[in-house]
Amino acid sequence: MRLRNAEHLSEVLLKQCYRSPRCQSIHQRRQYSTPPLPAHENHDVKDVAVLGGGITGLASAFYLSQELPNAKITLYEGSSRLGGWLQTKYIDVGNGHVVFEQGPRTLRPSMPNGFVTMDLIRRLDFEDQVLMTAKTSVAARNRFIYYPDHLVRMPGPGAHLLQNLYTLLTEPIFRGIPSGIGWEFSKPQRPIELRDESVGSFISRRFNPILANNVVSAVLHGIYAGDVWKLSVKSLQPVLWFWEGIHGSITNALWHDFSSQTKPMLEQDAKLVAELTEKPLVSAKLKGMRDTSVYTFKRGIGELGDRLEAKLKETKNVNIKRETAITGISYDAESGGIKISTPKSSSPRSSNADIQSYTHAISTLSSKKTAYLCKPRIISSLTRTHSVTVMVVNLYFSNPNLLSVHGFGYLIPQSIPFDQNPERALGVVFDSDAAVGQDTVPGTKVTVMLGGHWWDGWDSYPDEDEGAQMACAVLQRHLGITEPPAELHVGLQKECIPQYEVGHEDRMSVASKHLEKAYKGRLRVAGNSYTGVGLNDCVRAARDVVKGLTAQDGHMRTGLEIFTQDKKWVKAGLVPRESS
C-alpha cells in the first residue's frame, strides 16, 4: 500500500484532518484570521517597537503592517544592514558570478512552518524568484555521512532496496543499529518523573548508543551544530517524546499510526494549517512545489530579507532605524507601555540615553541580549540559552567535474576518529548540486562548516587564512580535492545558532511568567532562541507573535505561551492509495 503520488502528503494529511470532528471544531473556534482586525479590537496597539532587523524582526514588522495598518511601527537594527543571518554574497568570476551563502541556503516546503514561509512568499509576490530542487534530484536522493574514513550514502529512495540492505549490513557506521531498532519495542518506558533528556540519551535508551553517536549526532551537526548529548529531545523531537509517553515505544507508536492511518499533530499546528489553507497556498507559478525537496531563490536566500526590507520601505506606517543599538527595555508604569532606550550619540557606549515610549514591543534579539536589556534584569532564565559559533567557508572551483560523488553533501558525526577530523568540521555542502541555477558560470561549489559545539569555551577562533587552510585540508582528506579554489570566502558567525539544551521548555515557561509579571503583556519575544532555529521557524514565530498581539484575547502576552501550556495533540489521517 503506497501513498498517493498525485497529492502532496501534507495536503493529504490536512484533508483527512478536516474531515475529523476534532479538527473541524478547531477550525470553527479559531480566534483570528488573516485580514486585519477591526479597529475597536486592537485600538490599544498604537505604537510598536520591533527590536532586531534579522528575518524574525523583518517578518514581524511586515505582519504588523498588514494586521495594524493604522499603528506606528518602528524597526530597530544595531548594524548598518538588515537580514541578520541571511548573508548572501555575490562573487564575480570571469564572465559571470557565483552565489555564496554564509547563513541558511535552502528551505523546506514542509508542514506546518514551511507553509508560513510559502504564504509569506506569496504575499510578497516573490514566487517568480524561487528555485526548486526536485525530490528526484541527485541532491535529494544522495545524502552522506563521513565514517570512519569514507563517505557512506544514507539508505533512502535513491537506491534499490537490496542496495540499501547491503549498506545497512556491511557499513561499520550501522553496526549494531538494525538489532537496536528491532528490539526497541521491548525496551522499558521512561520513568514518569523524567521531564526531559538529551537526544543522545533518548536514542541510546530506546535504540542504542551507536545510532546516537554515528548517525543522529551527524544530523544534529547539520541543523544545530550542536552536541547530541546536550540538546533536548523534548524540544527538538516532540513527536518522539509524545509517542513514547502514549504508546510506550516508538515501534508501537508507528504501528498504531500505520494501522489507524493517522499521524499526530500539535493542536496549534492544526489551527495554523487550517487558517493558511483557506485559500490556495501555492499559485500556478509554484506548481512544482509539491514535488520539491528544498528550494531557494535565484539570487540566494538573502533575497527574502531584501524583499521584506523593500516592502517595509514602501509602507507609510513603518520606520526603520539602522545603526541604532538598544540599551534598555523598561515598563512604564505611568502609561502602561514600554520605554526603549538608545544612545543619543552614535556610540552605543554613550551614557546619554534617548528614550522613546511605545504601547508594545517585540524583541527578536537573542534571549541573552533581551535579558541583558530588560530593566530590571529579572529574567535570568533567558540568559541560559547559549549559542554556538560556526565558521563558514565557501569555495568555488572552475572545474565542474571535481566531485567524485554527487548529492546534497555530507555530515560528520561526533564519533569520527580525531585524526579524520582534527579541524572539527561539522559537514560539507555540495552547493553546485543542492542549488542548481544560481550561478552563471560552470564549476564546482562547496561549503565547509567548522566549529559549532566543538568550539564551546574557546577564547579565540581561527582567522580567515587559518579557516581557509582548514577547509581545504578537510576537502583533501575526505574528497581527495587538491586543486586550489578559484574563489573562496570565509565568515565567522559568532553565536549564530542557539542551543535548546535539556530543560529548555521549563526555562522558557519560567521566562514567560517573568515577562508577564514584569511587562504586563507589553513586551513579547520571538526568534531563534525560543521555538526553532531554522528560517521557517523564525517566520512562523514572527507571525505567531503578531497574531498574539493583535488578538488581544488575554492568553497570548509574551510570545512564550506555548511553553506554559500542556501540549495538545490531534490526529491527522493518512490516505492509502490504490495499487497502480
Side-chain angles (χ1 to χ4, degrees):
M1 190 173 288
R2 297 182 299 170
L3 291 179
R4 203 172 309 198
N5 289 333
E7 295 184 274
H8 195 282
L9 175 59
S10 55
E11 294 180 1
V12 174
L13 291 173
L14 287 172
K15 288 178 181 179
Q16 290 304 299
C17 182
Y18 296 156
R19 294 169 186 166
S20 71
R22 180 76 181 274
C23 263
Q24 289 176 0
S25 66
I26 289 174
H27 186 78
Q28 292 167 0
R29 67 174 182 266
R30 191 174 64 255
Q31 296 176 337
Y32 43 79
S33 58
T34 299
L37 294 171
H40 71 275
E41 292 187 39
N42 52 43
H43 61 85
D44 186 42
V45 187
K46 298 177 181 178
D47 298 290
V48 185
V50 179
L51 314 183
I55 183 60
T56 312
L58 288 169
S60 295
F62 172 77
Y63 287 125
L64 284 167
S65 70
Q66 298 288 298
E67 297 285 333
L68 301 170
N70 296 320
K72 294 180 181 179
I73 302 156
T74 304
L75 175 65
Y76 287 91
E77 168 55 40
S79 69
S80 60
R81 63 172 292 272
L82 301 176
W85 300 116
L86 306 188
Q87 299 181 20
T88 302
K89 307 290 183 183
Y90 307 101
I91 309 297
D92 290 328
V93 179
N95 297 323
H97 71 266
V98 295
V99 174
F100 282 166
E101 296 284 10
Q102 281 283 295
R105 62 199 62 245
T106 55
L107 292 163
R108 288 190 176 277
S110 54
M111 184 177 67
N113 294 359
F115 279 22
V116 182
T117 306
M118 291 164 61
D119 177 67
L120 177 63
I121 293 170
R122 178 182 59 79
R123 290 196 191 196
L124 294 171
D125 193 23
F126 196 38
E127 294 156 303
D128 58 346
Q129 296 301 308
V130 171
L131 279 178
M132 292 172 278
T133 300
K135 294 177 181 178
T136 56
S137 69
V138 66
R141 290 178 172 268
N142 292 344
R143 294 171 185 264
F144 301 90
I145 289 178
Y146 189 87
Y147 183 91
D149 58 2
H150 61 280
L151 294 183
V152 181
R153 184 189 173 281
M154 292 296 97
H160 191 275
L161 175 61
L162 292 179
Q163 183 179 347
N164 286 331
L165 288 174
Y166 181 79
T167 299
L168 283 171
L169 295 175
T170 60
E171 283 289 349
I173 190 174
F174 298 116
R175 193 166 294 154
I177 290 179
S179 62
I181 295 175
W183 288 101
E184 188 273 339
F185 73 94
S186 65
K187 302 289 181 65
Q189 190 175 3
R190 65 172 179 264
I192 193 171
E193 66 273 10
L194 185 64
R195 293 185 58 82
D196 196 3
E197 65 182 318
S198 71
V199 176
S201 172
F202 179 90
I203 297 298
S204 297
R205 183 170 56 79
R206 295 292 344 150
F207 302 97
N208 62 33
I210 299 173
L211 179 60
N213 277 317
N214 291 359
V215 179
V216 179
S217 73
V219 174
L220 296 188
H221 275 174
I223 302 173
Y224 300 93
D227 186 345
V228 69
W229 300 102
K230 292 182 179 180
L231 292 169
S232 162
V233 69
K234 193 175 180 181
S235 297
L236 272 57
Q237 293 293 331
V239 171
L240 296 182
W241 187 260
F242 167 77
W243 272 343
E244 184 193 17
I246 296 297
H247 299 287
S249 79
I250 310 305
T251 307
N252 291 339
L254 288 171
W255 175 251
H256 174 272
D257 290 353
F258 175 78
S259 59
S260 63
Q261 291 296 290
T262 61
K263 181 179 180 179
M265 180 189 299
L266 285 170
E267 186 178 57
Q268 65 264 24
D269 292 343
K271 290 180 181 180
L272 173 66
V273 293
E275 181 176 344
L276 286 175
T277 51
E278 285 183 334
K279 57 181 65 176
L281 191 63
V282 176
S283 70
K285 296 179 182 178
L286 293 181
K287 285 184 177 179
M289 193 65 81
R290 294 184 176 185
D291 301 313
T292 295
S293 171
V294 296
Y295 67 95
T296 182
F297 305 104
K298 293 178 181 178
R299 291 181 59 83
I301 285 290
E303 243 190 316
L304 180 58
D306 294 341
R307 182 58 66 97
L308 278 167
E309 179 181 352
K311 195 72 173 179
L312 292 176
K313 286 180 177 179
E314 297 172 358
T315 308
K316 293 182 179 180
N317 64 326
V318 177
N319 180 27
I320 300 175
K321 293 189 175 184
R322 303 170 188 262
E323 299 184 271
T324 307
I326 307 298
T327 58
I329 310 169
S330 57
Y331 177 71
D332 185 356
E334 184 177 345
S335 67
I338 290 289
K339 289 183 177 180
I340 302 297
S341 302
T342 60
K344 278 189 176 179
S345 71
S346 59
S347 172
R349 297 180 181 274
S350 172
S351 58
N352 296 322
D354 183 14
I355 300 176
Q356 297 292 327
S357 296
Y358 299 90
T359 59
H360 298 79
I362 298 173
S363 177
T364 67
L365 304 170
S366 72
S367 60
K368 273 191 175 182
K369 181 67 172 176
T370 299
Y372 174 78
L373 294 172
C374 287
K375 312 292 184 184
R377 297 178 188 170
I378 61 172
I379 313 176
S380 60
S381 50
L382 289 182
T383 67
R384 297 173 60 189
T385 301
H386 88 282
S387 298
V388 296
T389 294
V390 177
M391 179 169 277
V392 180
V393 185
N394 309 109
L395 305 99
Y396 165 76
F397 302 86
S398 55
N399 181 359
N401 303 310
L402 196 61
L403 296 174
S404 58
V405 296
H406 290 275
F408 194 87
Y410 68 92
L411 297 169
I412 304 172
Q414 290 179 223
S415 55
I416 192 173
F418 178 78
D419 62 354
Q420 288 296 319
N421 189 29
E423 298 83 8
R424 293 308 194 190
L426 301 164
V428 177
V429 180
F430 301 161
D431 296 295
S432 43
D433 289 339
V436 178
Q438 284 184 331
D439 304 328
T440 60
V441 290
T444 299
K445 186 173 64 175
V446 300
T447 299
V448 180
M449 296 165 290
L450 307 163
H453 73 95
W454 293 123
W455 289 357
D456 282 350
W458 285 28
D459 295 327
S460 61
Y461 303 102
D463 60 27
E464 291 189 11
D465 288 339
E466 291 169 336
Q469 293 172 9
M470 293 164 68
C472 289
V474 169
L475 296 179
Q476 181 175 351
R477 185 184 309 107
H478 295 175
L479 301 175
I481 295 176
T482 58
E483 179 179 320
E487 294 288 344
L488 81 160
H489 180 82
V490 181
L492 185 66
Q493 314 301 337
K494 290 186 177 180
E495 299 183 355
C496 60
I497 307 179
Q499 302 294 287
Y500 300 171
E501 296 185 349
V502 174
H504 175 75
E505 294 197 358
D506 287 343
R507 290 190 292 275
M508 294 304 101
S509 175
V510 172
S512 181
K513 295 171 184 176
H514 286 169
L515 275 172
E516 166 64 22
K517 182 178 180 180
Y519 290 94
K520 311 297 189 293
R522 299 293 174 158
L523 173 63
R524 317 313 176 84
V525 296
N528 64 358
S529 290
Y530 311 104
T531 54
V533 303
L535 197 158
N536 284 335
D537 303 320
C538 291
V539 175
R540 162 80 183 273
R543 185 184 187 278
D544 284 352
V545 77
V546 170
K547 288 293 186 180
L549 180 63
T550 57
Q552 294 290 289
D553 59 5
H555 299 294
M556 302 178 70
R557 295 167 59 83
T558 67
L560 301 177
E561 290 78 15
I562 186 176
F563 299 109
T564 65
Q565 306 160 356
D566 291 334
K567 285 185 171 69
K568 296 181 181 179
W569 297 82
V570 296
K571 293 181 178 181
L574 291 170
V575 178
R577 88 166 172 145
E578 306 79 7
S579 299
S580 55

